[in-house]
Amino acid sequence: MSKFILVTSGVCSSLGKGVATAAIGSLLESSGLKIEMMKCDPYINIDAGTISPYQHGEVFVTEDGAETDSDLGNFARFTSVKLTNENLVTIGKVYEAVIRNERAGRFNGRTVQVIPHITDEIKRRILSMGTKTGADVVLVEIGGTVGDIESIPYLEVARQLSHELGKSNCMTIHMALIPTIIGGELKSKPTQQSVKKLQETGIQPDILLCRCDRLIDEDMRKKIAMFCNVGVGSVFTSTDIEKSVYELPILFHEQGMDEKILSKLGLSDRKADIAPWKTFVEKLKKPERKVTVAMVGKKDYLDDCFKSVRESLFHAAVTDYNADVEIKKIDAESLEEAESSEIYKIFEGIDAIVIPGNYGQRGFLGLLQTVKYARENLVPFLGIDLGMQLMAIETARSLLMWKDADSTEFIQNSKHAVISLPEEQSSVSSGIMKLGASNVKINADSKLFEIYGQETVSERHRSKYTFDRKYAAEMESQGLLISAVSEEDGQTEAFEWTNHPWGIGVQFHPEFKSRATNPHPLFVAFIGAAIDNKSK
């Protein structure tokens, strides 16, 4: 039977609960346990696919094509859990399922209510995760904060599970804020109030994880323990980290948090091996070289919206090259009206350029300027999704002199629509958003083949528009090689500049498969090219 850890939070959002849950998961996994991870989100959306990245950060795509909350990206980067649609539970999914059952008459005429019908559906999904996967421990992050009206059904489920399964099979970790006021004094009252609010729902937390800018001392731990009705040994700190969130597993381990969790779950015979994390952090703190990568996109999108890309660059630099990677964020709109001399100044000191997936026309000309600069100046370039598509548009405009070349995402009546929807292309069947993993067949005479070392790979997608293959001959005549195609439908999956040291664009999203201690080979090769460029 699986054991369950339910993670809640209070006081305010953005405390780092998702990252903390992922770090705890990595510790349990390094103890030899099979784990699963879930996110229970209180929003009514069915999934994160239609939520603005301004509000919710990037959309993380799973192997089976689920568009999920960005916290699942944290789960994936810290652990080896193979995430699917079932790892994200939204209240929208729950209500949809319950209403569908009600319409089918499965409630035998009973009045359908939040309790027990909504809560039972949530509980069924959580418990079935353990049953289906055979996990030793299932970690469930409950989104929102205690006191939010949207979170009430999830907290009721947490209360029921704690009661039904017993403390040795189900425990609760509560994360709350300990702020520092003027003068440097720490205040525990917000945490006390948060725990009291949690207790009002019928939940007594087993462990308190205090978010603070420093490690709290013994006196503060005793005070918190007394007012929150937990043992002193069950109060831990999640501090501001020095360099990277990947320090958290070590921080928690040094405080004995994993040992306490294993003890409470009756798994005291287990012991975490955090050597891989220590090695990673040692490299992180003592880099042997530095490399600077420009990430070009819409200025408001350059942080959490491209988190997986940033993390993937970081993974490759630290793990494979013991390097410090500095990511210089460049707003594409600032390049649109820039003269050549200004563009050279903006990219001064840049060792490589990446354009991640973008949506919408804003900043398009600036992105196009970036591609042209990288091609003409032999700067290592990695384009993802739209970044790859721009390579075809730029080749068409600059080398083939098709000044109207465009994507039908932006211009519907372009004479040279080199990028378009599959259904807009001749002899191609109607398509929808391509989501999730599918096989990519790589050209054996390409740089991409050298990187992967195999002809067929599985990569994840999140795209609608694709290159129109009728322009393939013209593109290749100008040095733009089609280096990979979809095994499923023959659509173009990758471009390369043949007369360039390192210029690759991919339709898929390699960032979704990168891990801190197991970087994606495409990012490893890209950082290697950046280091070579810097040395020259």
Side-chain angles (χ1 to χ4, degrees):
M1 177 183 172
S2 300
K3 298 176 184 288
F4 296 84
I5 298 174
L6 309 172
V7 185
T8 63
S9 69
V11 183
C12 64
S13 59
S14 301
L15 292 179
K17 180 177 50 178
V19 174
T21 304
I24 294 168
S26 74
L27 287 174
L28 297 181
E29 192 171 62
S30 66
S31 303
L33 294 169
K34 177 176 171 54
I35 69 163
E36 276 294 331
M37 307 196 72
M38 298 181 71
K39 174 71 182 288
C40 288
D41 249 317
Y43 52 73
I44 298 175
N45 304 64
I46 298 299
D47 56 38
T50 58
I51 300 178
S52 167
Y54 290 109
Q55 293 187 13
H56 223 64
E58 77 168 0
V59 174
F60 185 85
V61 179
T62 62
E63 286 284 306
D64 63 343
E67 296 175 290
T68 71
D69 182 89
S70 58
D71 273 335
L72 269 74
N74 292 320
F75 298 167
R77 287 186 285 272
F78 274 87
T79 72
S80 62
V81 173
K82 298 188 185 306
L83 300 165
T84 68
N85 184 48
E86 293 183 348
N87 293 87
L88 175 67
V89 179
T90 70
I91 209 68
K93 282 183 182 178
V94 173
Y95 271 93
E96 182 186 48
V98 170
I99 291 170
R100 193 166 53 241
N101 287 335
E102 185 273 332
R103 292 289 83 190
R106 295 195 179 104
F107 294 114
N108 299 320
R110 286 172 291 173
T111 302
V112 180
Q113 298 174 292
V114 173
I115 302 172
H117 301 104
I118 296 297
T119 51
D120 280 355
E121 177 63 19
I122 297 169
K123 192 159 51 172
R124 182 193 68 76
R125 289 171 182 252
I126 292 173
L127 292 173
S128 67
M129 180 60 70
T131 305
K132 288 180 180 178
T133 63
D136 298 310
V137 181
V138 179
L139 293 95
V140 183
E141 179 199 347
I142 297 176
T145 58
V146 173
D148 292 346
I149 192 169
E150 299 96 338
S151 299
I152 291 174
Y154 290 127
L155 295 174
E156 171 60 18
V157 168
R159 184 195 68 78
Q160 290 182 23
L161 287 175
S162 297
H163 175 70
E164 294 168 6
L165 300 178
K167 286 294 184 181
S168 63
N169 292 315
C170 182
M171 62 178 294
T172 305
I173 298 175
H174 186 64
M175 190 173 194
L177 178 68
I178 295 186
T180 303
I181 62 171
I182 295 173
E185 183 183 0
L186 299 179
K187 303 301 291 185
S188 66
K189 192 64 71 178
T191 292
Q192 294 176 39
Q193 294 297 322
S194 177
V195 172
K196 280 182 169 55
K197 196 72 178 174
L198 185 65
Q199 289 168 336
E200 288 175 9
T201 69
I203 300 172
Q204 170 58 49
D206 299 287
I207 284 178
L208 286 181
L209 184 55
C210 302
R211 183 71 174 87
C212 190
D213 61 3
R214 72 196 86 161
L215 281 171
I216 57 177
D217 60 26
E218 187 69 11
D219 288 340
M220 178 62 80
R221 289 174 67 214
K222 286 179 179 178
K223 180 180 179 181
I224 292 169
M226 178 179 68
F227 282 108
C228 297
N229 199 30
V230 299
V232 177
S234 295
V235 180
F236 301 94
T237 316
S238 179
T239 66
D240 293 349
I241 40 82
E242 182 182 343
K243 294 279 287 185
S244 164
V245 292
Y246 301 113
E247 297 173 50
L248 281 177
I250 299 172
L251 175 67
F252 291 167
H253 177 73
E254 289 175 345
Q255 293 179 67
M257 190 175 181
D258 52 318
E259 185 179 349
K260 177 63 69 174
I261 291 171
L262 292 169
S263 174
K264 284 183 176 290
L265 292 177
L267 300 168
S268 299
D269 57 323
R270 304 281 183 161
K271 187 173 178 62
D273 175 15
I274 62 167
W277 290 113
K278 283 188 173 180
T279 300
F280 184 87
V281 171
E282 284 170 8
K283 287 183 177 180
L284 171 69
K285 292 185 175 180
K286 295 180 179 179
E288 295 178 354
R289 55 182 67 84
K290 184 176 181 178
V291 64
T292 304
V293 175
M295 183 183 288
V296 186
K298 298 176 177 63
K299 64 180 179 181
D300 302 313
Y301 276 35
L302 286 168
D303 291 310
D304 282 353
C305 303
F306 296 138
K307 187 171 185 180
S308 287
V309 175
R310 290 191 293 108
E311 293 298 306
S312 297
L313 294 168
F314 184 63
H315 300 162
V318 175
T319 300
D320 279 71
Y321 300 101
N322 198 6
D324 176 23
V325 59
E326 178 188 354
I327 297 176
K328 182 179 178 181
K329 299 183 290 186
I330 297 177
D331 174 20
E333 288 182 276
S334 68
L335 302 172
E336 291 194 322
E337 302 298 329
E339 300 292 333
S340 294
S341 58
E342 294 176 297
I343 291 175
Y344 273 85
K345 188 173 182 180
I346 289 171
F347 285 108
E348 187 178 359
I350 295 299
D351 304 311
I353 298 169
V354 59
I355 295 181
N358 283 261
Y359 294 93
Q361 193 168 14
R362 184 163 62 88
F364 169 74
L365 292 177
L367 295 173
L368 210 58
Q369 286 264 51
T370 301
V371 176
K372 184 176 182 180
Y373 174 87
R375 180 180 58 80
E376 293 181 339
N377 293 278
L378 306 182
V379 179
F381 173 81
L382 174 61
I384 299 172
D385 201 345
L386 178 61
M388 168 235 174
Q389 296 168 7
L390 287 162
M391 294 174 75
I393 298 172
E394 192 276 329
T395 296
R397 290 191 180 191
S398 300
L399 302 179
L400 291 167
M401 307 309 291
W402 298 344
K403 296 304 180 183
D404 68 331
D406 219 308
S407 167
T408 57
E409 180 182 2
F410 311 129
I411 301 295
Q412 283 293 320
N413 57 354
S414 169
K415 181 180 176 182
H416 295 98
V418 294
I419 305 296
S420 56
L421 292 169
E423 57 265 36
E424 294 172 328
Q425 300 171 15
S426 59
S427 72
V428 177
S429 59
S430 177
I432 57 173
M433 173 84 79
K434 182 183 277 193
L435 285 167
S438 63
N439 286 342
V440 175
K441 192 175 175 64
I442 300 174
N443 185 338
D445 296 321
S446 67
K447 193 177 264 81
L448 205 61
F449 181 81
E450 294 175 15
I451 292 168
Y452 281 98
Q454 56 193 92
E455 286 189 3
T456 303
V457 297
S458 175
E459 291 287 359
R460 294 183 209 172
H461 298 73
R462 187 177 186 246
S463 60
K464 268 189 176 181
Y465 292 83
T466 185
F467 173 68
D468 192 334
R469 292 294 297 271
K470 74 180 182 183
Y471 297 110
E474 289 95 333
M475 293 295 161
E476 294 193 359
S477 72
Q478 299 300 320
L480 187 64
L481 172 71
I482 295 176
S483 56
V485 296
S486 169
E487 199 171 69
E488 179 183 278
D489 53 24
Q491 292 180 2
T492 301
E493 290 279 6
F495 285 130
E496 291 180 16
W497 288 320
T498 56
N499 52 355
H500 191 281
W502 208 101
I504 295 176
V506 292
Q507 184 68 71
F508 50 83
H509 289 261
E511 69 269 23
F512 293 143
K513 298 185 74 172
S514 185
R515 306 289 183 270
T517 54
N518 185 25
H520 191 286
L522 190 55
F523 286 98
V524 172
F526 176 64
I527 292 295
I531 291 171
D532 288 344
N533 184 46
K534 183 182 180 72
S535 67
K536 293 173 184 176

Coordinates of all heavy atoms in Angstrom, one line a residue, residues 13 33 128 135 139 143 168 193 217 243 257 336 342 370 392 477 499 526 534:
S13 N 1.1 33.3 -1.3 CA 1.6 32.4 -2.4 C 3.0 32.6 -2.7 O 3.6 33.5 -2.2 CB 0.7 32.5 -3.6 OG 0.7 33.9 -4.1
L33 N 13.3 4.7 -2.6 CA 11.8 4.5 -2.7 C 11.3 4.9 -4.1 O 11.9 5.8 -4.7 CB 11.2 5.5 -1.6 CG 11.4 5.2 -0.2 CD1 10.9 6.3 0.7 CD2 10.8 3.8 0.3
S128 N -5.8 6.5 -6.5 CA -5.5 5.6 -7.6 C -4.1 5.8 -8.2 O -3.6 4.9 -8.8 CB -6.6 5.9 -8.7 OG -6.4 7.2 -9.3
A135 N 3.6 3.0 -6.3 CA 4.6 3.9 -5.6 C 4.6 3.6 -4.1 O 3.6 3.3 -3.5 CB 4.3 5.3 -5.9
L139 N 3.6 12.0 -3.3 CA 3.7 13.3 -2.7 C 2.6 14.2 -3.5 O 2.6 14.2 -4.7 CB 5.0 14.0 -2.9 CG 6.2 13.4 -2.1 CD1 6.9 12.3 -2.9 CD2 7.1 14.4 -1.6
G143 N -2.3 23.1 -4.2 CA -2.1 24.5 -4.6 C -2.9 25.5 -3.8 O -3.9 25.2 -3.1
S168 N 0.8 6.9 10.1 CA 1.9 6.2 9.6 C 1.8 6.0 8.1 O 2.8 5.6 7.4 CB 2.1 4.9 10.3 OG 1.0 4.0 10.0
Q193 N -0.6 31.9 12.8 CA -2.0 32.1 12.3 C -2.3 31.2 11.2 O -3.5 30.7 11.0 CB -2.1 33.6 11.8 CG -2.0 34.6 12.9 CD -3.1 34.5 14.0 OE1 -4.3 34.2 13.6 NE2 -2.8 34.7 15.2
D217 N 16.8 29.8 14.5 CA 17.5 29.2 15.6 C 16.7 28.3 16.4 O 15.4 28.2 16.3 CB 18.3 30.2 16.4 CG 17.3 31.3 17.0 OD1 16.1 30.9 17.2 OD2 17.7 32.4 17.3
K243 N 22.8 30.0 -4.6 CA 23.0 30.0 -6.1 C 21.9 29.4 -6.9 O 21.5 29.9 -7.9 CB 24.3 29.2 -6.4 CG 25.6 29.8 -5.9 CD 26.1 30.9 -6.8 CE 26.7 30.4 -8.1 NZ 27.3 31.4 -8.9
M257 N 15.5 16.5 7.6 CA 14.1 16.5 7.3 C 13.7 15.2 6.6 O 12.6 14.6 7.0 CB 13.8 17.6 6.3 CG 12.3 17.8 6.0 SD 12.0 19.3 4.9 CE 10.3 19.3 4.8
E336 N 13.7 45.6 -33.1 CA 12.9 45.8 -34.3 C 13.4 47.0 -35.1 O 13.4 46.9 -36.3 CB 11.4 45.9 -34.0 CG 10.9 44.5 -33.5 CD 9.4 44.5 -33.5 OE1 8.7 45.6 -33.1 OE2 8.8 43.5 -33.8
E342 N 23.8 49.2 -33.7 CA 23.1 49.0 -32.4 C 23.0 47.5 -32.0 O 23.2 47.1 -30.9 CB 21.8 49.7 -32.4 CG 21.8 51.2 -32.5 CD 20.4 51.8 -32.6 OE1 19.7 51.5 -33.6 OE2 20.1 52.6 -31.7
T370 N 17.5 38.8 -34.9 CA 18.4 38.0 -34.1 C 18.9 36.8 -34.9 O 20.1 36.5 -34.9 CB 17.6 37.5 -32.9 OG1 17.2 38.6 -32.1 CG2 18.5 36.6 -32.0
A392 N 13.7 29.5 -41.3 CA 13.1 29.4 -42.7 C 12.7 30.7 -43.2 O 13.0 31.1 -44.4 CB 12.0 28.4 -42.7
S477 N 19.0 24.9 -51.1 CA 19.9 25.5 -52.0 C 20.7 26.7 -51.4 O 21.7 27.2 -51.8 CB 19.2 26.0 -53.2 OG 18.3 27.1 -52.9
N499 N 26.5 26.0 -43.6 CA 27.8 26.7 -43.7 C 28.0 27.6 -42.4 O 28.4 28.7 -42.5 CB 27.7 27.6 -45.0 CG 26.5 28.5 -45.0 OD1 25.6 28.3 -44.2 ND2 26.4 29.4 -46.0
F526 N 25.0 22.6 -27.4 CA 24.8 24.0 -27.6 C 25.8 24.8 -26.7 O 26.5 25.7 -27.1 CB 23.4 24.4 -27.4 CG 23.1 25.9 -27.4 CD1 23.3 26.6 -28.6 CD2 22.7 26.6 -26.3 CE1 23.1 28.0 -28.6 CE2 22.5 28.0 -26.3 CZ 22.7 28.7 -27.5
K534 N 33.5 31.2 -27.5 CA 34.2 32.1 -26.6 C 35.7 32.0 -26.6 O 36.4 33.0 -26.6 CB 33.7 31.8 -25.2 CG 34.2 32.8 -24.1 CD 33.7 32.4 -22.7 CE 34.3 33.3 -21.7 NZ 33.6 34.6 -21.7

